[in-house]
Amino acid sequence: MYTGNLLGFGLAVSSSAFIGSSFIIKKKGLQRAGAYGTRARSGGYGYLLEPLWWIGMLTMVVGEFANFIAYIYAPAVLVTPLGALSIIVSAVLAHFLLNEKLRRMGILGCVLCIVGSTVIVLHAPGEHSISSVEEIWDLATQPAFLLYTASAIAVVLVLVLYCEPRYGQTNMMVCIGVCSINGSLTVMSVKAIGIAIKLTLEGSSQVARYQTWIFVMVAVTCIITQLNYLNKALDTFNTAVVSPIYYAMFTSFTILASAIMFKDWSGQSASTIISVLCGFVTVLSGTMILHSTREPDPQPVSDMYASLSPQISWIVHANGEIWKHKDNDESCPEVVAIIQPDHFK
């Protein structure tokens, strides 16, 4: 049982290494593509012709595949929190490859993530042995998990139909809530699919079981919804704020869903459960510290000056002073240059 945990741990760490590296590789590709054309944030798609960006995408696919396999061998309470290690990898690589300085508080965040992950690994419960997809179906249709699923769907519908049209542009918790709750159901479905694939490869085919395809449909639906609202959140709000909150909520709901469906805590002592929760809080603290010390991306020049009034010119005098000059102002001392706002667009 704990051999599976060790294998899942190795796959989760490998996944974090690949995914963390992919962020840096893709960003290098975006920078290289932006040097010769329109940047992605300005609506350009030149990065699609940049081989380095595609290498980054391939690296991310490998990382996500390793994460998928990790869920087959280890419980979600072990695999999901280890996703924070990808933040450490990207922060360290960004320090050396992108000149994004990792400050002392950032180093403290990395240490907290490592310590918290170690505590979780040492106290994580073992994976239960499952011999057929029907067993997973029985776990998914038990009253406690059905209540969780019904509650999750109800909350998501309220957030999507009522809250999102009214508060979606001003309150990030709306979109993050949809992503996090959907994400917990996504992980449960993906874990069921992974176990079905594992059993099929071992000779006990689960392809003809209708339960397998129900899990596939649930996973696809949840993933599409999750990605849609995550993109909305990232496009509307500051990434440095969205990422740690999303990580905290997604991991919390996933641990709760896994504890209800797979009974991860069954037979575990109170001290073991508290140790895992303390490890999770430590990882969460490190994640938030890491994101809080991130340097914001430089603002495009056109955005910096877009707020200037079109009725005002900026006059550069010969002595180096800068004055505002309104169009109806006739006084115009000796100047070196008159800069209009649209000069920066």
Side-chain angles (χ1 to χ4, degrees):
M1 184 166 63
Y2 290 98
T3 302
N5 271 16
L6 184 60
L7 180 57
F9 166 74
L11 288 167
V13 172
S14 301
S15 169
S16 296
F18 279 109
I19 293 175
S21 302
S22 73
F23 292 147
I24 307 304
I25 297 173
K26 286 197 297 181
K27 187 161 185 176
K28 291 287 286 186
L30 288 170
Q31 290 177 344
R32 185 177 295 181
Y36 302 101
T38 305
R39 301 196 65 132
R41 64 187 172 197
S42 302
Y45 295 96
Y47 60 87
L48 295 176
L49 302 177
E50 176 55 52
L52 194 59
W53 185 85
W54 284 106
I55 293 174
M57 279 298 298
L58 179 61
T59 306
M60 175 169 282
V61 169
V62 173
E64 293 293 352
F65 181 74
N67 195 53
F68 172 75
I69 301 299
Y71 278 114
I72 298 177
Y73 293 99
V77 69
L78 169 62
V79 176
T80 306
L82 291 177
L85 296 179
S86 64
I87 302 174
I88 297 178
V89 174
S90 61
V92 172
L93 291 179
H95 176 80
F96 292 104
L97 301 179
L98 299 177
N99 294 322
E100 296 179 1
K101 300 304 179 184
L102 185 61
R103 301 188 179 95
R104 291 181 180 178
M105 290 300 292
I107 296 175
L108 174 61
C110 292
V111 172
L112 287 175
C113 287
I114 294 173
V115 171
S117 299
T118 303
V119 173
I120 291 173
V121 170
L122 292 177
H123 296 89
E127 181 75 329
H128 299 290
S129 178
I130 296 177
S131 58
S132 69
V133 75
E134 281 91 349
E135 290 185 34
I136 310 175
W137 182 256
D138 291 339
L139 294 173
T141 54
Q142 59 184 316
F145 191 73
L146 286 177
L147 178 61
Y148 174 83
T149 303
S151 302
I153 294 173
V155 172
V156 167
L157 289 176
V158 170
L159 290 174
V160 170
L161 300 178
Y162 179 80
C163 298
E164 202 270 334
R166 294 170 174 80
Y167 313 111
Q169 297 297 314
T170 57
N171 192 330
M172 73 176 70
M173 298 305 292
V174 175
C175 291
I176 294 178
V178 174
C179 295
S180 303
I181 296 171
N182 264 293
S184 67
L185 298 178
T186 299
V187 171
M188 299 303 102
S189 301
V190 166
K191 186 172 179 65
I193 295 168
I195 293 174
I197 293 174
K198 176 188 174 185
L199 293 172
T200 300
L201 295 176
E202 291 175 350
S204 177
S205 178
Q206 307 294 311
V207 177
R209 318 274 180 153
Y210 72 91
Q211 295 95 334
T212 302
W213 297 105
I214 292 178
F215 285 126
V216 170
M217 289 187 291
V218 171
V220 171
T221 303
C222 290
I223 288 172
I224 292 174
T225 305
Q226 185 180 351
L227 291 177
N228 180 37
Y229 281 88
L230 180 59
N231 286 333
K232 285 185 178 182
L234 292 173
D235 191 46
T236 307
F237 304 100
N238 191 329
T239 304
V241 179
V242 171
S243 296
I245 294 178
Y246 171 61
Y247 170 79
M249 292 184 63
F250 167 68
T251 306
S252 299
F253 279 114
T254 299
I255 291 175
L256 176 61
S258 182
I260 295 173
M261 179 173 171
F262 292 100
K263 296 180 173 59
D264 292 330
W265 305 116
S266 179
Q268 302 296 316
S269 64
S271 61
T272 299
I273 297 174
I274 293 174
S275 296
V276 173
L277 293 179
C278 289
F280 168 59
V281 171
T282 305
V283 172
L284 174 60
S285 302
T287 302
M288 298 189 73
I289 291 174
L290 261 176
H291 278 282
S292 68
T293 58
R294 281 180 52 187
E295 295 180 356
D297 291 334
Q299 191 177 12
V301 175
S302 59
D303 293 341
M304 293 170 59
Y305 297 95
S307 59
L308 295 179
S309 169
Q311 302 301 319
I312 297 177
S313 303
W314 293 82
I315 300 178
V316 182
H317 289 259
N319 62 2
E321 296 180 351
I322 300 177
W323 293 75
K324 288 190 294 186
H325 172 71
K326 296 184 178 179
D327 289 350
N328 57 2
D329 188 358
E330 295 181 357
S331 60
C332 185
E334 182 182 358
V335 299
V336 173
I338 299 178
I339 306 175
Q340 299 287 348
D342 56 2
H343 169 79
F344 300 98
K345 296 183 178 179

